[in-house]
Amino acid sequence: MSRYAEAKKKLRGSIAPVITPFNDDYSIDFPSFEKLINWHIEKGTHAISVTGTTGEPSSLTVEERVQVMQAASKAINGRVPFVPGTGSTNHDETLYLTKKAEEMGADAALVIVPYYNKPSQHALYKHFKAVADSVSIPIIVYNIPGRTATNLQPETLAKLSQDCPNIIGVKESNKDFEHVNRVLLHCGRDFLLYSGIELLCYPMLAIGGAGHISATANILPNKVAEIYDAWNEGDVKRAQDLHFDLMELNDVLFKDTNPAPLKAAMGMMGSIKPVLRLPMDLPTQALQDEIRHVLSKYVTLPDHISTN
């Protein structure tokens, strides 16, 4: 079995996009970060990703991103696959970070479509091909048009997967379900398709998806992982039940820009200090009250924790 075929077999299920916790002085809280990774693995998360959207990479320096990746790799210690986010709007930064991921022994790199620049499909092809050619580890492309202002078309992705054997999958944070169907049509049914939209985690499994990369895993890692486990075991009703059971929580966590509601919720749980770096900030008090109300239906909240 080739390295990439083996990766396609291994990189399935719930890949948790772990947040980057900060101290009150906005420095990175590495002890809390290590505890979160251990907690995820104990709760059944199938793989760990860091410095993706949920990890606030645009609020980190390049050096800090490397430090977070290194800390994650050390904490994981080979127990589950490691898929750090290495993409940037800057091509050279993306190359640098992806090579660093390879040096750390990452199982794959998650590379976002460059944001703000709004490159053409031809330019996107050249960008991703150069990244893939620079390393030998598997690449998972990350398409999130709502935040990048550019949608990587299935035909472009298919050409990349044909020309670059290490481009093995895509995280689609794309609400266009017709689009994600066409990804598998054009790229092949063995191409790894992950949902980055919480309400599409279950539906994407139904069309042949490989799993999901869901921010909600930071709250209920066991339940998010169980959606995949139930589907994989043929328990369709259980997967459907979990899908609908989590819907209210999924909805409230995205009433403001991710990860602001998520960090507020984790602060209420007492797992982190609810700190974001500007220009990100916590949600309004009204939304925090709503988050607390919904969150209390899923977990027992300590009375003394406040996000104010």
Side-chain angles (χ1 to χ4, degrees):
M1 183 182 294
S2 73
R3 177 180 185 179
Y4 304 128
E6 185 177 353
K8 285 185 176 182
K9 185 177 180 180
K10 183 165 107 173
L11 294 169
R12 294 179 177 271
S14 173
I15 302 176
V18 180
I19 60 102
T20 303
F22 296 126
N23 294 303
D24 289 332
D25 64 358
Y26 304 105
S27 62
I28 299 169
D29 183 355
F30 285 106
S32 293
F33 184 60
E34 182 178 352
K35 288 178 183 177
L36 286 173
I37 288 175
N38 288 329
W39 176 68
H40 272 285
I41 296 172
E42 290 166 5
K43 292 295 183 179
T45 287
H46 302 111
I48 297 290
S49 182
V50 299
T51 59
T53 302
T54 304
E56 296 174 80
S58 59
S59 295
L60 303 173
T61 66
V62 172
E63 292 75 20
E64 285 176 326
R65 289 184 66 171
V66 172
Q67 290 168 9
V68 170
M69 289 161 57
Q70 288 173 331
S73 180
K74 182 179 179 181
I76 295 166
N77 194 28
R79 290 178 290 170
V80 297
F82 174 41
V83 187
T86 61
S88 166
T89 193
N90 182 285
H91 180 71
D92 286 343
E93 282 182 9
T94 302
L95 291 173
Y96 173 77
L97 289 166
T98 307
K99 289 175 183 176
K100 283 293 184 183
E102 181 175 42
E103 291 172 9
M104 293 175 201
D107 295 274
L110 181 68
V111 185
I112 195 169
V113 169
Y115 38 92
Y116 182 76
N117 292 327
K118 298 182 72 173
S120 67
Q121 295 299 305
H122 175 65
L124 287 173
Y125 172 85
K126 291 179 68 175
H127 169 73
F128 281 108
K129 187 174 189 308
V131 174
D133 288 347
S134 72
V135 294
S136 62
I137 59 171
I139 300 293
I140 298 169
V141 175
Y142 180 11
N143 190 33
I144 179 168
R147 293 183 78 146
T148 65
T150 302
N151 189 24
L152 181 67
Q153 296 298 328
E155 295 83 357
T156 307
L157 188 56
K159 182 169 173 52
L160 282 164
S161 68
Q162 291 161 8
D163 295 346
C164 307
N166 58 333
I167 294 183
I168 64 169
V170 62
K171 174 186 177 181
E172 282 285 355
S173 293
N174 199 323
K175 293 185 178 181
D176 183 348
F177 202 59
E178 291 186 9
H179 172 101
V180 298
N181 276 268
R182 291 192 175 97
V183 166
L184 290 182
L185 177 66
H186 288 284
C187 297
R189 301 276 290 278
D190 67 336
F191 196 68
L192 300 181
L193 172 67
Y194 304 94
S195 176
I197 299 290
E198 276 58 29
L199 266 61
L200 293 182
C201 289
Y202 168 72
M204 281 202 199
L205 292 174
I207 64 168
H212 32 263
I213 305 176
S214 168
T216 306
N218 285 278
I219 303 293
L220 294 172
N222 53 329
K223 298 297 184 184
V224 175
E226 193 179 348
I227 294 174
Y228 177 83
D229 290 337
W231 174 262
N232 194 45
E233 293 163 7
D235 192 344
V236 175
K237 184 179 185 304
R238 179 60 179 155
Q240 290 174 335
D241 288 346
L242 287 160
H243 169 73
F244 286 104
D245 288 347
L246 290 173
M247 193 173 289
E248 187 177 8
L249 179 61
N250 287 330
D251 283 344
V252 80
L253 290 178
F254 286 86
K255 286 196 172 184
D256 195 354
T257 304
N258 180 47
L262 176 60
K263 279 197 161 181
M266 294 177 72
M268 295 169 194
M269 294 168 62
S271 55
I272 63 164
K273 294 179 179 179
V275 179
L276 298 95
R277 288 178 177 177
L278 292 172
M280 298 292 289
D281 198 8
L282 289 171
T284 64
Q285 188 59 53
L287 180 51
Q288 288 190 48
D289 292 342
E290 184 179 355
I291 292 167
R292 182 181 294 276
H293 172 72
V294 172
L295 187 61
S296 66
K297 299 179 183 181
Y298 293 88
V299 299
T300 300
L301 298 176
D303 294 333
H304 66 283
I305 300 293
S306 173
T307 58
N308 297 331

